[in-house]
PDB file of all heavy atoms in Angstrom:
ATOM      1  N   SER A 469      72.143  10.359  50.188  1.00  0.00           N
ATOM      2  CA  SER A 469      73.396  10.480  50.932  1.00  0.00           C
ATOM      3  C   SER A 469      74.559  10.296  49.967  1.00  0.00           C
ATOM      4  O   SER A 469      74.515   9.429  49.094  1.00  0.00           O
ATOM      5  CB  SER A 469      73.447   9.388  52.003  1.00  0.00           C
ATOM      6  OG  SER A 469      74.755   9.186  52.469  1.00  0.00           O
ATOM      7  N   ALA A 470      75.586  11.124  50.101  1.00  0.00           N
ATOM      8  CA  ALA A 470      76.736  11.000  49.210  1.00  0.00           C
ATOM      9  C   ALA A 470      77.972  10.703  50.043  1.00  0.00           C
ATOM     10  O   ALA A 470      78.127  11.200  51.143  1.00  0.00           O
ATOM     11  CB  ALA A 470      76.952  12.280  48.425  1.00  0.00           C
ATOM     12  N   MET A 471      78.826   9.871  49.498  1.00  0.00           N
ATOM     13  CA  MET A 471      80.058   9.544  50.205  1.00  0.00           C
ATOM     14  C   MET A 471      81.067  10.681  50.049  1.00  0.00           C
ATOM     15  O   MET A 471      82.077  10.729  50.732  1.00  0.00           O
ATOM     16  CB  MET A 471      80.625   8.251  49.627  1.00  0.00           C
ATOM     17  CG  MET A 471      81.386   7.425  50.622  1.00  0.00           C
ATOM     18  SD  MET A 471      81.710   5.813  49.948  1.00  0.00           S
ATOM     19  CE  MET A 471      82.897   5.235  51.145  1.00  0.00           C
ATOM     20  N   ALA A 472      80.774  11.570  49.122  1.00  0.00           N
ATOM     21  CA  ALA A 472      81.593  12.768  48.878  1.00  0.00           C
ATOM     22  C   ALA A 472      82.919  12.450  48.214  1.00  0.00           C
ATOM     23  O   ALA A 472      83.836  13.243  48.254  1.00  0.00           O
ATOM     24  CB  ALA A 472      81.821  13.560  50.160  1.00  0.00           C
ATOM     25  N   GLY A 473      83.022  11.292  47.588  1.00  0.00           N
ATOM     26  CA  GLY A 473      84.268  10.981  46.905  1.00  0.00           C
ATOM     27  C   GLY A 473      84.034  10.633  45.449  1.00  0.00           C
ATOM     28  O   GLY A 473      84.797   9.884  44.850  1.00  0.00           O
ATOM     29  N   LEU A 474      82.957  11.188  44.876  1.00  0.00           N
ATOM     30  CA  LEU A 474      82.621  10.840  43.495  1.00  0.00           C
ATOM     31  C   LEU A 474      82.178  12.097  42.759  1.00  0.00           C
ATOM     32  O   LEU A 474      81.326  12.844  43.254  1.00  0.00           O
ATOM     33  CB  LEU A 474      81.473   9.817  43.484  1.00  0.00           C
ATOM     34  CG  LEU A 474      81.042   9.348  42.098  1.00  0.00           C
ATOM     35  CD1 LEU A 474      81.549   7.927  41.858  1.00  0.00           C
ATOM     36  CD2 LEU A 474      79.536   9.357  41.952  1.00  0.00           C
ATOM     37  N   ASN A 475      82.760  12.335  41.590  1.00  0.00           N
ATOM     38  CA  ASN A 475      82.300  13.455  40.773  1.00  0.00           C
ATOM     39  C   ASN A 475      81.107  12.982  39.944  1.00  0.00           C
ATOM     40  O   ASN A 475      81.273  12.328  38.918  1.00  0.00           O
ATOM     41  CB  ASN A 475      83.426  13.954  39.867  1.00  0.00           C
ATOM     42  CG  ASN A 475      82.935  15.029  38.911  1.00  0.00           C
ATOM     43  OD1 ASN A 475      81.910  15.681  39.184  1.00  0.00           O
ATOM     44  ND2 ASN A 475      83.629  15.202  37.804  1.00  0.00           N
ATOM     45  N   GLY A 476      79.905  13.299  40.420  1.00  0.00           N
ATOM     46  CA  GLY A 476      78.708  12.802  39.755  1.00  0.00           C
ATOM     47  C   GLY A 476      78.167  13.740  38.696  1.00  0.00           C
ATOM     48  O   GLY A 476      77.225  13.396  37.991  1.00  0.00           O
ATOM     49  N   ASN A 477      78.737  14.950  38.588  1.00  0.00           N
ATOM     50  CA  ASN A 477      78.194  15.918  37.624  1.00  0.00           C
ATOM     51  C   ASN A 477      78.793  15.687  36.239  1.00  0.00           C
ATOM     52  O   ASN A 477      79.477  16.541  35.678  1.00  0.00           O
ATOM     53  CB  ASN A 477      78.450  17.338  38.112  1.00  0.00           C
ATOM     54  CG  ASN A 477      77.682  18.357  37.272  1.00  0.00           C
ATOM     55  OD1 ASN A 477      76.783  17.983  36.507  1.00  0.00           O
ATOM     56  ND2 ASN A 477      78.048  19.614  37.394  1.00  0.00           N
ATOM     57  N   THR A 478      78.551  14.510  35.702  1.00  0.00           N
ATOM     58  CA  THR A 478      78.954  14.173  34.337  1.00  0.00           C
ATOM     59  C   THR A 478      77.708  13.643  33.638  1.00  0.00           C
ATOM     60  O   THR A 478      76.771  13.197  34.306  1.00  0.00           O
ATOM     61  CB  THR A 478      80.032  13.070  34.333  1.00  0.00           C
ATOM     62  OG1 THR A 478      79.449  11.868  34.888  1.00  0.00           O
ATOM     63  CG2 THR A 478      81.245  13.453  35.162  1.00  0.00           C
ATOM     64  N   PRO A 479      77.660  13.705  32.294  1.00  0.00           N
ATOM     65  CA  PRO A 479      76.452  13.203  31.611  1.00  0.00           C
ATOM     66  C   PRO A 479      76.111  11.768  32.020  1.00  0.00           C
ATOM     67  O   PRO A 479      74.949  11.447  32.246  1.00  0.00           O
ATOM     68  CB  PRO A 479      76.839  13.296  30.128  1.00  0.00           C
ATOM     69  CG  PRO A 479      77.836  14.412  30.083  1.00  0.00           C
ATOM     70  CD  PRO A 479      78.601  14.328  31.371  1.00  0.00           C
ATOM     71  N   PHE A 480      77.127  10.910  32.180  1.00  0.00           N
ATOM     72  CA  PHE A 480      76.857   9.511  32.529  1.00  0.00           C
ATOM     73  C   PHE A 480      76.153   9.415  33.885  1.00  0.00           C
ATOM     74  O   PHE A 480      75.079   8.810  34.016  1.00  0.00           O
ATOM     75  CB  PHE A 480      78.164   8.704  32.551  1.00  0.00           C
ATOM     76  CG  PHE A 480      77.979   7.304  33.076  1.00  0.00           C
ATOM     77  CD1 PHE A 480      77.453   6.297  32.271  1.00  0.00           C
ATOM     78  CD2 PHE A 480      78.304   6.983  34.399  1.00  0.00           C
ATOM     79  CE1 PHE A 480      77.262   5.011  32.767  1.00  0.00           C
ATOM     80  CE2 PHE A 480      78.118   5.700  34.897  1.00  0.00           C
ATOM     81  CZ  PHE A 480      77.602   4.718  34.076  1.00  0.00           C
ATOM     82  N   TYR A 481      76.755  10.010  34.919  1.00  0.00           N
ATOM     83  CA  TYR A 481      76.177   9.879  36.260  1.00  0.00           C
ATOM     84  C   TYR A 481      74.867  10.656  36.388  1.00  0.00           C
ATOM     85  O   TYR A 481      73.960  10.238  37.117  1.00  0.00           O
ATOM     86  CB  TYR A 481      77.191  10.309  37.334  1.00  0.00           C
ATOM     87  CG  TYR A 481      78.201   9.217  37.623  1.00  0.00           C
ATOM     88  CD1 TYR A 481      79.497   9.299  37.156  1.00  0.00           C
ATOM     89  CD2 TYR A 481      77.823   8.073  38.319  1.00  0.00           C
ATOM     90  CE1 TYR A 481      80.415   8.279  37.395  1.00  0.00           C
ATOM     91  CE2 TYR A 481      78.736   7.050  38.564  1.00  0.00           C
ATOM     92  CZ  TYR A 481      80.017   7.155  38.094  1.00  0.00           C
ATOM     93  OH  TYR A 481      80.913   6.133  38.324  1.00  0.00           O
ATOM     94  N   ASN A 482      74.735  11.791  35.683  1.00  0.00           N
ATOM     95  CA  ASN A 482      73.485  12.548  35.755  1.00  0.00           C
ATOM     96  C   ASN A 482      72.326  11.752  35.159  1.00  0.00           C
ATOM     97  O   ASN A 482      71.240  11.687  35.733  1.00  0.00           O
ATOM     98  CB  ASN A 482      73.631  13.877  35.000  1.00  0.00           C
ATOM     99  CG  ASN A 482      74.260  14.966  35.866  1.00  0.00           C
ATOM    100  OD1 ASN A 482      74.022  15.036  37.068  1.00  0.00           O
ATOM    101  ND2 ASN A 482      75.074  15.810  35.258  1.00  0.00           N
ATOM    102  N   ILE A 483      72.540  11.141  34.017  1.00  0.00           N
ATOM    103  CA  ILE A 483      71.436  10.470  33.322  1.00  0.00           C
ATOM    104  C   ILE A 483      71.160   9.079  33.908  1.00  0.00           C
ATOM    105  O   ILE A 483      70.021   8.749  34.241  1.00  0.00           O
ATOM    106  CB  ILE A 483      71.718  10.402  31.803  1.00  0.00           C
ATOM    107  CG1 ILE A 483      71.714  11.835  31.251  1.00  0.00           C
ATOM    108  CG2 ILE A 483      70.679   9.547  31.086  1.00  0.00           C
ATOM    109  CD1 ILE A 483      72.290  11.984  29.874  1.00  0.00           C
ATOM    110  N   VAL A 484      72.216   8.285  34.085  1.00  0.00           N
ATOM    111  CA  VAL A 484      72.002   6.934  34.643  1.00  0.00           C
ATOM    112  C   VAL A 484      71.494   7.046  36.083  1.00  0.00           C
ATOM    113  O   VAL A 484      70.606   6.290  36.504  1.00  0.00           O
ATOM    114  CB  VAL A 484      73.302   6.100  34.563  1.00  0.00           C
ATOM    115  CG1 VAL A 484      73.106   4.735  35.183  1.00  0.00           C
ATOM    116  CG2 VAL A 484      73.727   5.953  33.109  1.00  0.00           C
TER     117      VAL A 484
END
Side-chain angles (χ1 to χ4, degrees):
Chain A
S469 162
M471 211 168 168
L474 181 106
N475 174 22
N477 190 14
T478 64
F480 173 79
Y481 280 105
N482 276 325
I483 294 166
V484 178

